[in-house]
Amino acid sequence: MENQTTPPYFYLTMFKDLGYLSFVYFGVALITYGSTVLLNVVILLVILRESELHQPMYIFISCLSINGLYGTNALFPRLLRDLLSARPAVSYSACILQAFAMFTYASCEFTILTLMAHDRYVAICRPLRYHSIMTAKAVALMVAMAWLYPALTISMGTVAAVRLPLCGNEVGKLYCSNWAVVRLSCVSTAANNAYGIFIAVTTVFVPFTYILFTYVKILVICRKRSTEFKRKAFYTCVPHIVSFVTYSIAIFCEITFSRYEGELPGIVAVVLSLEFVVIPPVLNPVIYGMNFPVVRRGIKKALQKTKPTSFFNS
């Protein structure tokens, strides 16, 4: 048996096959990183500044932007550095921290999307009780649970992973993930795998099922209502549906990559491994910024205030 140890460094092996493409990826990653930060910060500032946006739906949108910034900053700074390194290496503690951040980002995205689905369900199916159900206290409690539950459960999984003796230090990804570290263990990981399934069920599959349930109920209600009611319901639900479907596909791609790691062509592996933390944070602020007139007005107002005053108009 190989020596059981805790390696001081992990080597990210997917970088070694990039060659000259690493410079191309660096440029694309830098532009994507800057665009993601800019778009989400704009959405956050607009929702913060405009009092008419201090409503549950927009609070949940701001939570999506915060989570997008969290996931983006967990990935891109190190990714940009590693793309220019001859042999990217990450310390054990930094790898575990990044794995925790990426996992909590992924889980919180689903829990926040669940809150948004619940908000739309109450607004459409129980409109007369909306304000009594979606109170400020209830919204604050839901937001807290959407962040704290994934953080708590994933913290416990991370502690369990840290206790495992490892017999290798090569991670076949562009970033550190909990599963990539666990699979390097010299001993049985049955308990870790079982707990990982528990986390997946409670932070992914249960929210996924509830979101589907809410839209089934919304469709049932809409069938009995007027065309105008259906139009308004469709208008308010489409952005969330797009976000939900996009993220579900992205997570499926990440699971596929984890299953067939090492068996996929380089560019396919890169896309599948990064899609879940690249596309949603870019797409979400664009969807919500363009779809809701009140958000568009807030953005236009902010842009007008930042325009420099002309010398001739002063």
Side-chain angles (χ1 to χ4, degrees), residues 118-153:
H118 180 70
D119 177 70
R120 293 301 83 204
Y121 164 72
V122 175
I124 295 171
C125 299
R126 300 181 180 180
L128 299 180
R129 297 188 58 197
Y130 180 81
H131 293 291
S132 62
I133 295 174
M134 301 300 291
T135 62
K137 183 177 180 180
V139 170
L141 181 61
M142 286 190 289
V143 169
M145 288 300 298
W147 288 100
L148 292 177
Y149 181 75
L152 177 62
T153 55

Side-chain angles (χ1 to χ4, degrees), residues 121-306:
Y121 164 72
V122 175
I124 295 171
C125 299
R126 300 181 180 180
L128 299 180
R129 297 188 58 197
Y130 180 81
H131 293 291
S132 62
I133 295 174
M134 301 300 291
T135 62
K137 183 177 180 180
V139 170
L141 181 61
M142 286 190 289
V143 169
M145 288 300 298
W147 288 100
L148 292 177
Y149 181 75
L152 177 62
T153 55
I154 293 168
S155 294
M156 295 172 64
T158 301
V159 170
V162 168
R163 297 176 62 184
L164 291 173
L166 306 180
C167 288
N169 64 346
E170 292 190 348
V171 175
K173 301 175 78 74
L174 292 171
Y175 57 88
C176 290
S177 70
N178 190 67
W179 171 239
V181 173
V182 168
R183 68 191 301 176
L184 296 174
S185 174
C186 306
V187 299
S188 172
T189 60
N192 299 75
N193 296 339
Y195 187 71
I197 293 173
F198 168 76
I199 295 176
V201 168
T202 56
T203 62
V204 177
F205 293 108
V206 170
F208 184 90
T209 302
Y210 182 75
I211 292 171
L212 292 181
F213 165 78
T214 60
Y215 277 107
V216 169
K217 297 292 288 185
I218 288 172
L219 286 173
V220 171
I221 291 293
C222 287
R223 287 184 60 187
K224 304 174 183 178
R225 299 301 181 91
S226 65
T227 302
E228 180 63 17
F229 183 91
K230 294 176 183 177
R231 187 189 67 80
K232 290 181 178 179
F234 177 81
Y235 173 76
T236 59
C237 290
V238 163
H240 179 264
I241 293 173
V242 173
S243 295
F244 171 61
V245 171
T246 300
Y247 188 67
S248 297
I249 294 173
I251 282 293
F252 175 77
C253 289
E254 163 61 11
I255 294 172
T256 301
F257 170 72
S258 298
R259 173 64 180 83
Y260 295 101
E261 185 179 312
E263 303 176 20
L264 299 171
I267 186 62
V268 175
V270 169
V271 171
L272 292 182
S273 66
L274 296 180
E275 186 179 3
F276 82 105
V277 76
V278 172
I279 294 180
V282 173
L283 188 62
N284 288 338
V286 174
I287 293 173
Y288 295 106
M290 293 179 60
N291 190 72
F292 293 110
V294 65
V295 178
R296 290 202 303 270
R297 287 197 300 270
I299 294 174
K300 289 179 181 178
K301 187 185 299 184
L303 291 176
Q304 289 173 353
K305 289 182 179 180
T306 59

Side-chain angles (χ1 to χ4, degrees), residues 68-99:
L69 289 171
Y70 173 61
T72 296
N73 283 288
L75 171 70
F76 278 101
R78 178 166 294 278
L79 177 65
L80 290 169
R81 191 199 70 175
D82 290 342
L83 282 169
L84 298 180
S85 301
R87 191 185 183 194
V90 53
S91 68
Y92 180 86
S93 58
C95 187
I96 294 299
L97 181 61
Q98 185 181 46

Side-chain angles (χ1 to χ4, degrees), residues 94-120:
C95 187
I96 294 299
L97 181 61
Q98 185 181 46
F100 171 80
M102 297 292 282
F103 207 165
T104 49
Y105 155 78
S107 299
C108 287
E109 192 80 358
F110 256 125
T111 55
I112 294 168
L113 287 171
T114 304
L115 298 186
M116 298 176 76
H118 180 70
D119 177 70
R120 293 301 83 204

Side-chain angles (χ1 to χ4, degrees), residues 21-50:
L21 286 176
S22 61
F23 297 102
V24 177
Y25 291 150
F26 178 86
V28 173
L30 184 61
I31 294 171
T32 303
Y33 180 41
S35 301
T36 303
V37 171
L38 177 63
L39 290 169
N40 284 283
V41 167
V42 167
I43 292 295
L44 283 172
L45 290 178
V46 168
I47 293 175
L48 181 65
R49 293 176 59 175
E50 300 297 324

